[in-house]
Amino acid sequence: MATEVAAGTSRRKLLPIGNRQDQVYWLFVLPVLLCLLVFFLLPLFQVFWISLSDPAVGPDNYIKLFDNRAIKRVVLTTLRICTITTVFSVVIGYMIAFTVAIAPPRTRSMLMFAILVPFWMSVLVRAFAWVTLLRSEGVINSFLMSFGAISTPLSMTNNEFGVLVGMVHYMVPYAVLPLLASMDGINPSLIAASRGLGAGPVQSFVKIFMPLTKPGIFAALILVFIMTLGFFVTPIILGGGNTVMIAEYITVQMQQTLRWGLASALATALLVVVLLLIGALSRSMDMRKMLGGG
Amino acid sequence: MTMHDTQGDLCIENLVKQYGNLRAVDDVSLRIRPGEFLTLLGPSGSGKTTLLMMIAGFVAADAGRIGLGGRDITDLAPEQRNFGMVFQGYALFPHLSVRENVAFPLKIRRRPKSEVEAAVKTALDRVQMTHLADRLPRQLSGGQQQRVALARAMSFQPSLLLLDEPLGALDRKLRVDVQMEIKKLHQELGTTFIYVTHDQEEALSMSDRIVIFRQGRIAQIGTPSELYDQPQSRFVASFLGESDFIAGTVQSIDGGIARIATPAGEILQNGAKHPSIGSAITVALRPEKIALLAQPTADRRNCLPGRIIAWRYLGGHLSFEIAVEGIGPIRAEIAAAEGQPFLQEGKRAWLAWQPQDGVTVTEE
Ligand SMILES: Nc1ncnc2c1ncn2[C@@H]1O[C@H](COP(=O)(O)OP(=O)(O)O)[C@@H](O)[C@H]1O
Ligand SMILES: [Mg+2]
C-alpha cells in the first residue's frame, strides 16, 4: 500500500500532466523539445535512413560492416586503443582519486582544481601540446639526446603510442570523478575498524577499500570507454593518419569517398553500442552522483 | 618512569593529545585491571573517544605512554595490539555478510578454516544472530547491527574490548536490553571492557569502575556507588545524578563535624578532612536525602527554611523546587505520601537532613 502511493507520486513527477502549473512548465520546455526534435532527432533519423537506403534500399551497409576488411581493421584498432586508454586512465585515475580522497582539505581543493583545469582546455590545444612534447625534434627527444641517452629520436607521434598518450591524458579526469565519488562515500571508520581488527594498511586497502570502490571502478571504466569510442581530434593530430579510429574513418567515408550509406551505418552502429553501454552504466549507478553532482 | 604493572594490567601514564590549542586528552593516568568493566563517562567533547582511540592505536600520543602487561605499546600499530573494538556507528563492512564480517579478524589472522567456522558460530550464537548470518549489514536493524559488531569484536578472543558509545544509536527501550546483554557477555567472557558513554545511567548500571572525564582530564575515578555517594567535586556531583549545592563558611570544627554558616542559617556537616576555619566550603546534597517538614525538628540536625516554588509528580515520588533565602532554588525528592501537605505554591516548609547526608565538594 505504502509503496503504491510512493510509486504513484513519483510517476506524477515524471509525467507532469494535469494541473495548471504543470501546463505552464510544459510551455517553457516546449521550445527546447522542438529544437531537439528538429535539429537532433530528425537528423539522427535521417542518418539511420541513409544507412538503409544509400546506395540502395536494404541492409547492405550493415552487412558490409562485418565483411569489409578495412572496416574490420578500423574497428579493431578503435577497440584496442579504447581498451588500453580505458585501462590506463582508470588505473592512473584511481591513484589520483585516492591521493585526493585522503588529502587534507586545503591540499584537496588544490588537487581538485588541477584535475578540473583540463576540462576548460580545448582538446585541440592539448593534442598540439603533446605533439610539441613527443615529436622527433620535440622537447622529450631533444632532452634525451642532449645527454646521449638515445642517439636517434624515439618515434612517439604519428603512431598509436602518441594517440594513446593524448587520449589517456584527456580521459584521466573523467575517470577520477566517479572514482573519487565512490571513495568519498566510504566511511573512514571502516578502515579504522579493519585496522583495529588486525588487518595491516595493505590488507585493509585490498579487502575493504578496493571492494567498496567497485561501483566507481565500473562506472569509470564504462564512462571512459564510451567517451574514447568517439575520439576524433586527438587520433588525427597525434596519429597522423597512421592510426585511424572509427570517427575519423566515418568522416573519410563522408567527405572523401562519399559512401554516405556506409558512414551512416557505422555511425548508427557506434551509437547503438554507446547507448547499450550507457544503459549498463545507469543501471549500476546513479549518474548524477557518479559525476560528483548534487 | 618505570611501569609497575602487574600481569595483564593496561597502564596509562600521563597521556596527552593536543589538537591545536585544545588538549583533548590532558595528562591522563589510569590503570585498568584484567577482566574489569571500566567506563569512560563524560559530556560530549570531553575527550573520551580520543582516549579510546589512543588505547586502540588510531591516535598517536603527544606525550605519555601506554603499557600492557609490562610491555610498552604506545607506538604499536593498531593491527598489532589485538584489541577488539566496537565503533560508534558499528562500522560493519557493508560489502560483507554478517558471517564474513565476524570471520574477518580470524581470516586476517590466518586461522584454519575449521577454527574460523567454529569461532564465528560461537560468536554469533552468543549474540543470537546465527539465523541472520547470511544477511548484509544494511538488511539488519540497528540493534542487530550492534550485535554483529559485538560478535565481530570478540570473535578472535581479544584480551581487551573497546566500545565507543555502542548503544548511542539505539532507542531507549532497546538500549536497556542491550545493556543487560553486554553486561552478561562481559561476565561470560572475562575480557576487559573499556566502555565509552555520555549516559550516566548506562555507566552506573554496567561498570565495575567509572572514570569521569571533564575537558580532557579525569575528574574522578571510582565504583558507581563511590562516585554517587562521595563525589569530590561540584562537577561530578552534578554530572552523576542530581545534587543541590549549599555554600558557606566554616565556623568551627568539633569531632569531625563542621559548623557552617550559610546565608540561610547554620548547618552541620560530617567529614574526615574539613577545610580550615574561616574558609569557604560547598556541600553537595542529593535531593532524595532531603525531608520536608512543617516545623523545625531536633532529630534532623540540619534545618533550613524555604518556600515551595513548584513540584512535579514522578510516579512514586514528588520532585519539589523550594526557594531558600540566600541560597536559591533547592530540589528535594519526597515520597508521594509525605509530600502531600506541601502541594501548594508559596507554602512554607523546612528542609531537613542529617550532617552525614551531605558531601563536601570542591567548587570545580
Ligand atoms: N581529529 C581532531 N582534530 C581536531 N580536534 C579534535 C579531533 N578529534 C577530536 N577533537 C576535539 O577533541 C575534543 C574531544 O573529542 P572527543 O574525544 O571526540 O570527545 P568525546 O568522545 O568525549 O565526545 C573535542 O573538542 C573535539 O572537537
Ligand atoms: Mg565520542
Side-chain angles (χ1 to χ4, degrees):
Chain A
M1 181 66 206
T3 52
E4 262 171 52
V5 172
T9 45
S10 70
R11 194 170 306 130
R12 265 200 53 196
K13 266 182 202 153
L14 282 179
L15 290 178
I17 309 164
N19 71 43
R20 185 168 294 265
Q21 234 174 344
D22 291 342
Q23 285 164 8
V24 176
Y25 167 87
W26 274 103
L27 218 65
F28 280 105
V29 177
L30 205 61
V32 182
L33 288 179
L34 278 177
C35 279
L36 265 182
L37 185 72
V38 175
F39 298 110
F40 185 70
L41 289 177
L42 282 181
L44 212 58
F45 183 75
Q46 202 180 358
V47 168
F48 183 55
W49 175 241
I50 292 173
S51 75
L52 289 172
S53 63
D54 183 282
V57 177
D60 292 359
N61 287 319
Y62 288 95
I63 294 169
K64 251 186 229 154
L65 289 188
F66 291 95
D67 53 36
N68 180 318
R69 293 241 319 273
I71 292 179
K72 203 177 263 174
R73 205 183 60 238
V74 168
V75 168
L76 283 180
T77 307
T78 307
L79 289 180
R80 186 176 61 242
I81 291 179
C82 293
T83 307
I84 298 174
T85 304
T86 304
V87 169
F88 273 92
S89 304
V90 173
V91 169
I92 296 170
Y94 200 94
M95 295 191 271
I96 295 176
F98 185 72
T99 313
V100 175
I102 62 172
R106 271 185 59 95
T107 319
R108 182 190 171 106
S109 44
M110 268 157 41
L111 288 173
M112 278 313 286
F113 182 74
I115 289 164
L116 293 177
V117 160
F119 279 123
W120 302 314
M121 252 163 57
S122 148
V123 59
L124 215 60
V125 172
R126 292 161 66 175
F128 277 118
W130 276 114
V131 172
T132 330
L133 286 168
L134 297 177
R135 71 199 158 103
S136 305
E137 317 80 45
V139 177
I140 294 176
N141 272 319
S142 35
F143 173 74
L144 289 176
M145 282 165 79
S146 69
F147 61 91
I150 50 172
S151 52
T152 52
L154 300 172
S155 102
M156 295 184 289
T157 51
N158 297 337
N159 58 18
E160 209 166 300
F161 178 81
V163 176
L164 285 172
V165 169
M167 283 177 60
V168 168
H169 177 238
Y170 190 88
M171 288 316 302
V172 162
Y174 289 94
V176 168
L177 293 184
L179 288 169
L180 187 59
S182 73
M183 290 178 189
D184 282 345
I186 297 179
N187 178 353
S189 72
L190 293 179
I191 306 305
S194 163
R195 300 283 306 270
L197 291 166
V202 177
Q203 269 178 318
S204 299
F205 180 81
V206 173
K207 294 207 186 273
I208 305 299
F209 192 88
M210 271 269 270
L212 289 175
T213 57
K214 252 187 207 158
I217 296 175
F218 183 69
L221 285 174
I222 294 193
L223 181 73
V224 172
F225 191 77
I226 290 173
M227 291 187 67
T228 51
L229 281 177
F231 259 61
F232 179 65
V233 173
T234 309
I236 289 183
I237 294 174
L238 283 156
N242 298 321
T243 308
V244 179
M245 287 176 66
I246 287 185
E248 186 182 355
Y249 188 78
I250 291 173
T251 328
V252 170
Q253 297 307 314
M254 295 204 28
Q255 295 174 347
Q256 288 164 27
T257 58
L258 298 181
R259 290 192 286 187
W260 280 38
L262 189 63
S264 304
L266 257 175
T268 308
L270 187 62
L271 183 66
V272 169
V273 170
V274 167
L275 286 178
L276 286 176
L277 286 171
I278 290 178
L281 182 66
S282 62
R283 190 177 290 191
S284 83
M285 238 177 135
D286 179 354
M287 298 270 266
R288 254 195 316 174
K289 208 169 85 195
M290 183 188 81
L291 288 170
Chain B
M1 203 180 293
T2 52
M3 295 208 180
H4 307 282
D5 14 349
T6 51
Q7 238 263 301
D9 270 15
L10 182 77
C11 209
I12 292 165
E13 292 178 357
N14 308 103
L15 219 51
V16 173
K17 182 67 201 179
Q18 186 103 27
Y19 287 121
N21 291 329
L22 178 93
R23 286 208 155 187
V25 170
D26 190 1
D27 196 22
V28 167
S29 298
L30 191 60
R31 178 185 301 264
I32 300 149
R33 296 185 279 267
E36 187 173 19
F37 195 123
L38 184 97
T39 298
L40 308 180
L41 175 68
S44 175
S46 57
K48 310 176 298 284
T49 297
T50 307
L51 178 62
L52 201 73
M53 291 300 161
M54 290 168 93
I55 297 174
F58 294 119
V59 172
D62 291 327
R65 33 194 290 172
I66 306 171
L68 181 68
R71 185 164 150 243
D72 186 345
I73 61 163
T74 317
D75 297 319
L76 207 61
E79 63 268 21
Q80 286 162 348
R81 299 193 181 198
N82 207 32
F83 295 163
M85 175 126 198
V86 177
F87 284 80
Q88 227 165 346
Y90 318 134
L92 295 177
F93 304 129
H95 60 301
L96 301 181
S97 70
V98 165
R99 188 193 309 282
E100 289 164 329
N101 262 284
V102 178
F104 183 83
L106 298 153
K107 284 189 177 156
I108 289 292
R109 287 170 174 74
R110 299 184 187 284
R111 301 269 172 83
K113 205 172 168 210
S114 58
E115 192 185 319
V116 172
E117 274 169 18
V120 169
K121 187 171 175 338
T122 312
L124 286 177
D125 280 347
R126 273 234 160 80
V127 296
Q128 293 134 42
M129 286 294 295
T130 315
H131 61 299
L132 298 176
D134 294 313
R135 293 247 183 119
L136 287 174
R138 66 164 171 274
Q139 298 167 319
L140 302 177
S141 72
Q144 291 167 338
Q145 291 184 23
Q146 208 279 332
R147 291 201 173 100
V148 177
L150 266 173
R152 185 179 68 176
M154 69 192 189
S155 67
F156 58 106
Q157 293 171 322
S159 56
L160 190 68
L161 210 58
L162 306 169
L163 304 102
D164 191 359
E165 310 221 7
L167 311 183
L170 304 183
D171 59 55
R172 212 172 164 71
K173 162 92 186 65
L174 196 55
R175 221 148 65 194
V176 177
D177 292 347
V178 186
Q179 271 175 33
M180 304 298 277
E181 282 173 33
I182 291 181
K183 185 76 198 151
K184 207 170 112 233
L185 214 57
H186 172 251
Q187 279 154 1
E188 285 170 12
L189 293 172
T191 308
T192 315
F193 276 42
I194 302 181
Y195 189 100
V196 165
T197 183
H198 64 262
D199 183 325
Q200 43 144 331
E201 277 173 40
E202 215 168 285
L204 287 172
S205 70
M206 300 174 80
S207 328
D208 294 328
R209 280 197 304 161
I210 301 174
V211 182
I212 299 196
F213 261 77
R214 185 192 190 194
Q215 295 173 357
R217 289 178 159 272
I218 294 178
Q220 195 174 343
I221 308 180
T223 64
S225 62
E226 275 168 11
L227 291 177
Y228 191 80
D229 295 334
Q230 287 136 38
Q232 286 164 2
S233 61
R234 194 183 179 114
F235 174 77
V236 172
S238 56
F239 188 73
L240 211 59
E242 283 186 83
S243 288
D244 294 309
F245 297 98
I246 300 168
T249 317
V250 180
Q251 297 293 304
S252 66
I253 299 172
D254 182 14
I257 297 183
R259 188 174 293 276
I260 300 166
T262 77
E266 229 174 44
I267 61 169
L268 300 175
Q269 168 63 22
N270 274 18
K273 283 183 291 176
H274 287 300
S276 54
I277 291 170
S279 57
I281 185 170
T282 304
V283 171
L285 196 58
R286 296 291 179 195
E288 67 267 22
K289 301 271 190 187
I290 298 175
L292 277 189
L293 304 172
Q295 297 295 328
T297 164
D299 51 274
R300 306 243 184 190
R301 294 171 67 193
N302 287 325
C303 241
L304 294 180
R307 277 183 195 287
I308 308 290
I309 306 173
W311 63 86
R312 282 184 302 154
Y313 181 61
L314 298 172
H317 60 268
L318 284 156
S319 168
F320 283 94
E321 202 173 331
I322 303 146
V324 177
E325 190 115 9
I327 291 180
I330 295 278
R331 252 173 49 74
E333 278 180 14
I334 314 292
E338 288 166 36
Q340 289 305 325
F342 300 97
L343 296 180
Q344 186 190 333
E345 214 172 304
K347 187 175 170 75
R348 223 174 139 69
W350 292 85
L351 302 157
W353 71 96
Q354 301 288 22
Q356 68 271 19
D357 289 340
V359 185
T360 308
V361 295
T362 60
E363 255 308 323
E364 280 164 9

